Amino acid sequence: MTAGPVDYDAELTRYDPVLRRAWAVQPHDRVLDVGCGAGRTTRTAARLARAGSALGVDVSAPAIERARGLALAEGLGNVTFERADAQAHPFAQGRFDLAISRFGTMFFDDPVAAFGNIGRALRPAGRLVMLVWQAAERNEWDVVIREALAEPGGPAVVAGDGPDAFSLADPATVAAVLRAAGFADIVLTDVGQPVYYGPDPTAALDWIGRFAVTKNLLERLDPAAAARALARLRDALAARTTDGGVWFDSRAWIVTARRR
């Protein structure tokens, strides 16, 4: 287990081997990575598709610049990155054999339209393999954040409006969306891995403070209540600190499907 600095790739490192097995990338595959962030998954796919290619897309310009720099430093010649919104980007139809995503598909405004656009980018019978969170109550990290930010004896806190990391947590919803978007052979596989939040409580608190759910909840508190909530959260992180850093249980779905 890593015990170094935390970033998104470090947080999710234990999911990497699970994803590689699910992708089953073939040497000549053309791979599309949706919501690629700094491109770790894209670069991994490119190495597996050694006679093919990988394209990573993300809406974040800084993330794409970082991804390009890392790919250049690693000498990968079959990987490219574009700042693009996969919901509406005009991909060449039938260009890709495989579309992948590591927690990059939960925030679509219109999921059916978005997955339809991704599906059209796949060749007939092309595969989709994505990782999405299961329900919030099955993810210790979300439970602990919400419990810590709630006043003792008070009501449970909810984030309210904003991005919903658990929008694809319900298997029936996922299946209905993908069928409407033109996919078949839809399978959800239960996976659970610990997620890494940093080498110590201070680093973990800084990392969690960047989460949309944390920001949204703290904004709803007055300064004194926010300070108390952060102190409770630090205590919760300290209680979960080991020699290997701060880790939380998590559960996700690996969703596989084929374009009709």
Side-chain angles (χ1 to χ4, degrees):
M1 289 186 175
T2 182
V6 63
D7 59 18
Y8 194 57
D9 289 329
E11 176 187 344
L12 301 174
T13 188
R14 292 295 296 274
Y15 278 104
D16 288 350
V18 179
L19 275 174
R20 286 196 298 271
R21 290 192 295 270
W23 294 342
V25 176
Q26 300 302 301
H28 289 84
D29 275 350
R30 297 161 298 170
V31 183
L32 170 65
D33 189 2
V34 176
C36 67
R40 177 168 172 168
T41 47
T42 323
R43 299 193 307 277
T44 298
R47 291 189 186 93
L48 295 170
R50 55 188 179 274
S53 62
L55 167 66
V57 298
D58 199 282
V59 296
S60 168
I64 290 298
E65 286 305 308
R66 173 69 172 155
R68 287 170 176 161
L70 290 169
L72 181 64
E74 294 173 10
L76 289 172
N78 66 334
V79 62
T80 55
F81 295 95
E82 293 183 27
R83 181 176 181 269
D85 185 348
Q87 299 180 88
H89 185 70
F91 297 110
Q93 293 195 17
R95 174 181 175 185
F96 300 99
D97 303 290
L98 170 65
I100 64 174
S101 182
R102 183 188 63 177
F103 299 117
T105 57
M106 297 95 66
F107 307 114
F108 293 143
D109 296 326
D110 184 338
V112 172
F115 284 112
N117 192 51
I118 293 167
R120 287 187 292 275
L122 290 168
R123 63 170 172 78
R127 296 186 301 126
L128 169 69
V129 180
M130 64 180 180
L131 191 65
V132 300
W133 293 120
Q134 291 190 26
E137 60 269 20
R138 302 207 70 197
N139 280 280
E140 183 187 30
W141 55 272
D142 188 79
V143 172
V144 168
I145 291 171
R146 292 181 187 278
E147 289 181 348
L149 297 182
E151 288 286 353
V157 294
V158 295
D161 296 335
D164 181 6
F166 307 103
S167 67
L168 297 177
D170 176 54
T173 297
V174 173
V177 165
L178 291 180
R179 281 196 298 267
F183 287 90
D185 301 330
I186 301 158
V187 177
L188 283 80
T189 302
D190 177 22
V191 293
Q193 294 291 336
V195 288
Y196 175 69
Y197 276 11
D200 53 53
T202 299
L205 188 63
D206 176 71
W207 180 241
I208 291 174
R210 306 179 199 182
F211 293 5
V213 61
T214 311
K215 292 178 180 178
N216 289 343
L217 293 173
L218 287 173
E219 286 173 357
R220 288 164 169 76
L221 302 176
D222 63 58
R228 291 193 298 270
L230 287 172
R232 292 191 299 272
L233 185 53
R234 178 182 286 276
D235 289 343
L237 295 170
R240 287 162 176 81
T241 303
T242 69
D243 290 342
V246 182
W247 293 82
F248 283 92
D249 290 336
S250 76
R251 296 209 76 84
W253 298 114
I254 287 183
V255 183
T256 60
R258 290 186 181 276
R259 178 191 167 186
R260 287 199 295 264

